Amino acid sequence: MALPKFAFFRGRRVPYSEARVGVLTHGLNYGTGVFSGIRGYWNDAEGELFVFRPEDHFRRFLESGKMLGMELPLGAKELTDALLDLLRAEEFHEDCYARSLAFYADETVGVRLHDLTPEVSIVALPYGRYIDNEEGAHATVSSWRRVDDNAIPARGKIVGSYVNSALAKSEAMRAGFDEAIVLNADGHIAEGSAANFFMVRNGAVVTPPITDNILEGITRRTVIELFANELDTTVVERTIDRSELYVAEEAFFVGTGVQIAAITRVDHSPIGTGRIGPVATAIREVYFEVVRGQRPKYRRWCAPVYGAAAVRKAPGPRDKRGRIAAAGR
Ligand code: PMP
């Protein structure tokens, strides 16, 4: 994987090689950070790169930070501007993925969340598929349970909790599956290792409620809205039993990375026909048009990198109090 050319780091865009931290960094030692993953979609007809719902991703990013007591000097709008500036500098003319991170940057020993200073970084890379088989993934029910909200906030994207996701993902892949389905501590379906879960049961589209210890996914929210507006379907948010996997008509993962990926087998049993079904096919079609800016109704979710946004400026350097200098806004 080629490294990025630039990073947004310490309040400004720098060469990627300058975005470095010391080994004592708190976030690296204790997982005291939060992050976001945002996709950019290249629209060939318009010659434009559209970033999908950046401000919504950054709002969750800031909320996740708040759960760790972080006060960041940047708002969702300023983070979006920094991201768009970075993507222009990278000159991407293809699909890409941006990773933002806010972490406690102090080089100090002592596990805590207070009296620490957060730093923000953003980098971006060209990016295609996350799961090789988006039209027919084979999933396994993980032996690892989803982190509980009373252990590490489950609704937020907290760095440390991704050990939980990594354990589930590697266990699944080493056993020959594409993805894991992770149950929560109650034994109900939570989500994938890094994606939310939907199924079709008796004709109804069902997804677990946020309170079942799932991440508050932006794609999940998008998909619920698209089902209602475009496919005349109200998604039912309810607790899902493990055994429903074996009798569901369809199942699929949704997430920024995974996009919408059909699960066609679970632990060697076919889900429904064992092939991608009509509901997953329909929502995928709508979703891919929306994210590429091809549905005018949803253009408000798609931030153009080169077009109208080209005149927007990235935040400038911070002043002494760590605020972004007004001239750079
Ligand atoms: N759950 C987990 C654990 C994730 O890491 C992700 C990816 N961010 C998702 C769900 C999907 O969230 P989103 O749609 O916001 O990318």
Side-chain angles (χ1 to χ4, degrees):
M1 191 168 75
L3 292 174
K5 286 195 275 225
F6 299 103
F8 177 80
F9 188 61
R10 303 218 158 102
R12 62 197 182 90
R13 172 156 49 80
V14 297
Y16 178 73
S17 58
E18 288 178 23
R20 289 281 175 274
V21 298
V23 290
L24 261 181
T25 301
H26 202 274
L28 186 59
N29 285 263
Y30 301 115
T32 49
V34 301
F35 70 106
S36 79
I38 306 177
R39 267 192 191 260
Y41 288 91
W42 178 247
N43 180 318
D44 214 24
E46 293 188 39
E48 183 57 279
L49 181 63
F50 288 111
V51 182
F52 192 61
R53 302 190 76 166
E55 290 203 27
D56 292 314
H57 276 281
F58 282 128
R59 260 180 232 117
R60 183 185 63 199
F61 179 74
L62 292 167
E63 282 187 3
S64 298
K66 216 168 162 193
M67 292 173 211
L68 301 191
M70 284 184 183
E71 277 183 42
L72 296 178
L74 297 159
K77 167 81 171 55
E78 290 160 320
L79 288 163
T80 300
D81 287 348
L83 169 59
L84 297 180
D85 172 74
L86 187 74
L87 293 172
R88 278 192 289 277
E90 292 284 1
E91 298 181 279
F92 288 137
H93 290 79
E94 62 192 303
D95 292 355
C96 59
Y97 177 87
R99 166 58 50 82
S100 311
L101 182 66
F103 58 100
Y104 281 124
D106 308 66
E107 295 180 75
T108 178
V109 170
V111 66
R112 63 180 188 278
L113 290 172
H114 61 280
D115 296 339
L116 294 167
T117 309
E119 283 287 355
V120 174
S121 69
I122 310 176
V123 291
L125 294 159
Y127 202 60
R129 284 179 169 226
Y130 176 87
I131 286 188
D132 285 340
N133 197 353
E134 281 178 10
E135 291 82 15
H138 189 182
T140 179
V141 176
S142 182
S143 71
W144 295 96
R145 294 293 173 102
R146 168 79 180 156
V147 65
D148 188 90
D149 196 47
N150 287 301
I152 300 177
R155 64 178 9 84
K157 239 172 133 55
I158 315 272
V159 172
S161 66
Y162 277 74
V163 169
N164 184 234
S165 293
L167 287 166
K169 177 79 181 185
S170 288
E171 178 191 54
M173 291 200 72
R174 284 177 179 146
F177 299 95
D178 299 306
E179 244 306 336
I181 293 173
V182 186
L183 308 180
N184 61 23
D186 297 338
H188 296 115
I189 292 175
E191 55 189 338
S193 66
N196 289 117
F197 176 87
F198 282 69
M199 71 169 185
V200 181
R201 179 90 208 278
N202 298 326
V205 181
V206 188
T207 195
I210 301 285
T211 45
D212 273 2
N213 288 329
I214 65 171
L215 183 86
E216 286 187 346
I218 307 295
T219 318
R220 175 183 181 277
R221 207 193 311 163
T222 301
V223 161
I224 289 174
E225 199 169 326
L226 293 178
F227 264 119
N229 294 348
E230 308 303 320
L231 299 171
D232 208 14
T233 303
T234 304
V235 173
V236 180
E237 294 179 62
R238 68 153 173 87
T239 293
I240 299 178
D241 281 339
R242 174 185 189 160
S243 55
E244 292 187 88
L245 281 174
Y246 305 101
V247 288
E249 290 106 76
E250 294 186 43
F252 47 95
F253 290 121
V254 313
T256 299
V258 97
Q259 308 182 102
I260 297 178
I263 311 166
T264 49
R265 275 183 301 160
V266 62
D267 290 320
H268 307 282
S269 294
I271 294 186
T273 61
R275 287 195 302 278
I276 185 167
V279 176
T281 304
I283 192 68
R284 265 169 70 86
E285 217 173 281
V286 176
Y287 183 77
F288 283 121
E289 285 179 16
V290 166
V291 294
R292 253 178 236 288
Q294 291 159 345
R295 294 238 181 175
K297 189 170 162 190
Y298 300 100
R299 278 290 269 246
R300 64 197 152 88
W301 284 343
C302 305
V305 169
Y306 299 111
V311 292
R312 290 164 90 184
K313 291 267 194 314
R318 290 181 197 188
D319 63 19
K320 287 197 194 90
R321 290 156 65 207
R323 302 240 166 86
I324 299 302
R329 287 189 190 184

